[in-house]
């Protein structure tokens, strides 16, 4: 359950808001209060608070909301139990004045509470230190006791769903505009942030169904990209789009694979072929994948491994876009002889000696494309 709690000094306006909510509020519990109206209740609370002048922020205010993903819809009585038991865990007793109201004007039913931290004997029973964190932990504990999903568990599920849909959308997007549109179709809103130095520098993803404009100032919906995944960064997405656009541009303007590779090299990209088995000179070698990356970003102390980026090889052509799978397949059908070979295992696990040996092997391999390959390439271009 989403929740919030803070200590502050209040006026009668806070109690008036709690008891109104555009006419939909319903007071479901109060304690040690004789008055039935907000002004009278405020005067009663203030009188008790003045019994301990050492505490300036004598009120504890906050809310707890019931999301759809909690597992089942709670009755008002069950919802009240969750709120009161959580408040008890942070120090609220039967001697503290409080008022709890259910609000129904927003998409998610929620309870607002106002508690006097000073009990009727003048003792402060609710400590202010980390009260927001402690209340959140109390709510989670009560939810677990009642077999309900906690806000953390719900968050994990949402982040997993966001990452899955983002990964799918990236495969069919060539720029951020397309990515935003495709995620919108999936029910997600992407909010980008930027700065003068880096351009687009951050991303927040929000589920459309979670948007709640009435509570936006209290609870900001969605998660930052860094909260969704510690492996996928905005720089990786920008590099991905750069590679995809370069491949498409070069594919249209070259006549054969040798030109394709040379043209990408001129643009500053590395092209590597990964064969299914050990490379055999002067024979047809079945291609498993093609890796392309910006040369300046590859190698040690450069851009680190990401969700789809390999720091030694770049991006797997067959995985970043389904349309590139045909490109890789056509390469495998041709008798491509000796473009940089990658062994099937991950280069990140190789020793320095193995990498050096591989580089030496590359220098000794022939580098040409059979005439029949050029003809197949031309046929492919005509059919596009």
């Amino acid at each position: 359950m989403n929740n919030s709690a803070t200590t502050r000094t209040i006026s009668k306006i806070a109690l008036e808001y709690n008891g109104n909510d555009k006419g939909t509020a319903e007071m479901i519990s109060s304690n040690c209060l004789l008055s039935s109206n907000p002004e009278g209740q405020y005067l009663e609370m203030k009188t008790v608070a003045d019994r301990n002048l050492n505490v300036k922020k004598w009120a504890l205010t906050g809310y707890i909301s019931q999301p759809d993903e909690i597992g089942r819809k709670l009755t008002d009585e069950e919802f009240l139990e969750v709120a009161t038991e959580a408040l008890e865990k942070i120090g609220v007793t039967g001697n503290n004045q409080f008022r709890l109201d259910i609000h129904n004007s927003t998409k998610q039913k929620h309870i607002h509470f106002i508690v006097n931290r000073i009990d009727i004997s003048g003792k402060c029973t609710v400590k202010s230190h980390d009260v927001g964190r402690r209340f959140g932990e109390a709510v989670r504990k009560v939810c677990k006791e009642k077999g309900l999903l906690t806000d953390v568990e719900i968050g994990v599920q949402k982040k997993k769903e966001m990452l899955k849909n983002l990964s799918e959308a990236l495969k069919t997007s060539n720029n951020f505009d397309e990515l935003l549109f495709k995620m919108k179709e999936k029910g997600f809103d992407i909010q980008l942030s930027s700065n003068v130095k880096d351009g687009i520098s951050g991303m927040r993803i929000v589920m459309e169904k979670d948007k709640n404009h009435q509570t936006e100032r209290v609870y900001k919906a969605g998660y930052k990209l860094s909260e969704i995944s510690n492996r996928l960064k905005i720089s990786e997405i920008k590099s991905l789009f750069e590679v995809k656009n370069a491949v498409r541009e070069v594919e249209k303007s070259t006549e054969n694979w040798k030109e394709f590779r040379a043209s990408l090299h001129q643009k500053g990209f590395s092209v590597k072929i990964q064969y299914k088995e050990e490379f055999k000179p002067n024979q047809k070698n079945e291609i498993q994948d093609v890796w392309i990356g910006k040369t300046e970003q590859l190698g040690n102390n450069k851009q680190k491994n990401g969700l789809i980026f390999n720091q030694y090889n770049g991006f797997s052509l067959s995985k970043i876009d389904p349309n590139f799978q045909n490109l890789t397949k056509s390469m495998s059908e041709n008798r491509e002889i000796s473009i940089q070979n990658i062994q099937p295992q991950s280069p990140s696990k190789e020793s320095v000696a193995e990498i050096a040996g591989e580089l030496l092997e590359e220098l000794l391999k022939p580098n040409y494309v059979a005439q029949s390959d050029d003809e197949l390439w031309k046929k492919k271009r005509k059919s596009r």
Side-chain angles (χ1 to χ4, degrees), residues 290-342:
V290 180
W291 295 78
I292 300 179
K294 199 79 172 175
T295 305
E296 63 186 22
Q297 296 174 341
L298 303 180
N300 292 321
N301 303 319
K302 301 291 180 68
Q303 187 169 324
K304 300 299 182 182
N305 286 331
L307 186 66
I308 50 181
F309 177 82
N310 182 287
Q311 71 181 90
Y312 294 101
N313 305 317
F315 295 95
S316 164
L317 209 57
S318 62
K319 293 179 181 178
I320 63 174
D321 194 317
N323 293 323
F324 291 155
Q325 290 178 0
N326 293 331
L327 187 62
T328 305
K329 185 178 179 182
S330 66
M331 290 182 71
S332 187
E333 291 172 351
N334 294 342
R335 295 178 64 246
E336 177 77 18
I337 306 295
S338 181
I339 300 178
Q340 281 183 291
N341 179 36
I342 304 174

Side-chain angles (χ1 to χ4, degrees), residues 107 158 161-162 165-166 169 179-190 205-211 222:
K107 290 169 64 176
K158 288 184 177 181
E161 186 178 353
M162 287 176 178
N165 283 274
L166 179 61
L179 180 63
L180 266 62
F181 178 77
K182 293 182 184 299
M183 286 294 283
K184 197 80 170 178
E185 289 184 322
K186 292 174 176 287
F188 298 90
D189 177 31
I190 289 186
I205 303 179
V206 182
M207 287 184 171
E208 290 287 353
K209 66 183 183 67
D210 284 349
K211 285 187 176 181

Side-chain angles (χ1 to χ4, degrees), residues 131-198:
V131 69
R133 178 186 59 79
R134 291 191 293 112
F135 181 65
E137 290 176 351
V139 171
R140 285 188 280 277
K141 187 171 183 179
V142 173
C143 286
K144 282 186 175 294
E145 291 170 353
K146 297 181 179 297
L148 303 172
L149 289 178
T150 67
D151 55 337
V152 173
E153 292 169 328
I154 292 171
V156 169
Q157 291 180 352
K158 288 184 177 181
K159 291 174 187 178
K160 184 177 180 180
E161 186 178 353
M162 287 176 178
L163 184 59
K164 176 179 177 290
N165 283 274
L166 179 61
S167 299
E168 292 174 352
L170 283 170
K171 291 181 180 180
T172 55
S173 302
N174 299 303
N175 52 58
F176 282 104
D177 288 339
E178 291 182 8
L179 180 63
L180 266 62
F181 178 77
K182 293 182 184 299
M183 286 294 283
K184 197 80 170 178
E185 289 184 322
K186 292 174 176 287
F188 298 90
D189 177 31
I190 289 186
Q191 301 166 0
L192 299 175
S193 56
S194 61
N195 58 48
V196 176
K197 179 182 177 182
D198 302 315

Side-chain angles (χ1 to χ4, degrees), residues 180-325:
L180 266 62
F181 178 77
K182 293 182 184 299
M183 286 294 283
K184 197 80 170 178
E185 289 184 322
K186 292 174 176 287
F188 298 90
D189 177 31
I190 289 186
Q191 301 166 0
L192 299 175
S193 56
S194 61
N195 58 48
V196 176
K197 179 182 177 182
D198 302 315
I200 295 175
S201 58
M203 174 186 295
R204 174 179 283 272
I205 303 179
V206 182
M207 287 184 171
E208 290 287 353
K209 66 183 183 67
D210 284 349
K211 285 187 176 181
N212 192 340
H213 299 293
Q214 293 94 335
T215 62
E216 190 171 358
R217 286 182 297 177
V218 179
Y219 171 68
K220 192 174 182 63
Y223 301 93
K224 294 185 292 186
L225 183 60
S226 59
E227 295 171 326
I228 296 171
S229 172
N230 60 2
R231 294 181 62 199
L232 181 62
K233 302 184 183 302
I234 201 73
S235 58
E236 183 178 357
I237 296 176
K238 293 165 81 171
S239 296
L240 171 66
F241 290 154
E242 190 175 3
V243 166
K244 291 175 76 169
N245 290 319
V247 169
R248 283 200 165 82
E249 181 183 347
V250 169
E251 185 185 6
K252 293 177 182 178
S253 60
T254 54
E255 296 291 335
N256 53 59
W257 287 111
K258 188 173 182 180
E259 290 182 8
F260 176 80
R261 175 173 175 259
S263 183
L264 280 172
H265 277 191
Q266 288 178 353
K267 292 178 177 292
F269 291 91
S270 166
V271 181
K272 297 183 179 181
I273 304 297
Q274 180 177 352
Y275 297 99
K276 286 191 174 180
E277 298 178 358
E278 185 178 352
F279 181 84
K280 297 178 181 178
N282 302 316
Q283 295 184 31
K284 183 176 180 180
N285 295 276
E286 190 174 358
I287 294 172
Q288 179 174 317
D289 207 347
V290 180
W291 295 78
I292 300 179
K294 199 79 172 175
T295 305
E296 63 186 22
Q297 296 174 341
L298 303 180
N300 292 321
N301 303 319
K302 301 291 180 68
Q303 187 169 324
K304 300 299 182 182
N305 286 331
L307 186 66
I308 50 181
F309 177 82
N310 182 287
Q311 71 181 90
Y312 294 101
N313 305 317
F315 295 95
S316 164
L317 209 57
S318 62
K319 293 179 181 178
I320 63 174
D321 194 317
N323 293 323
F324 291 155
Q325 290 178 0

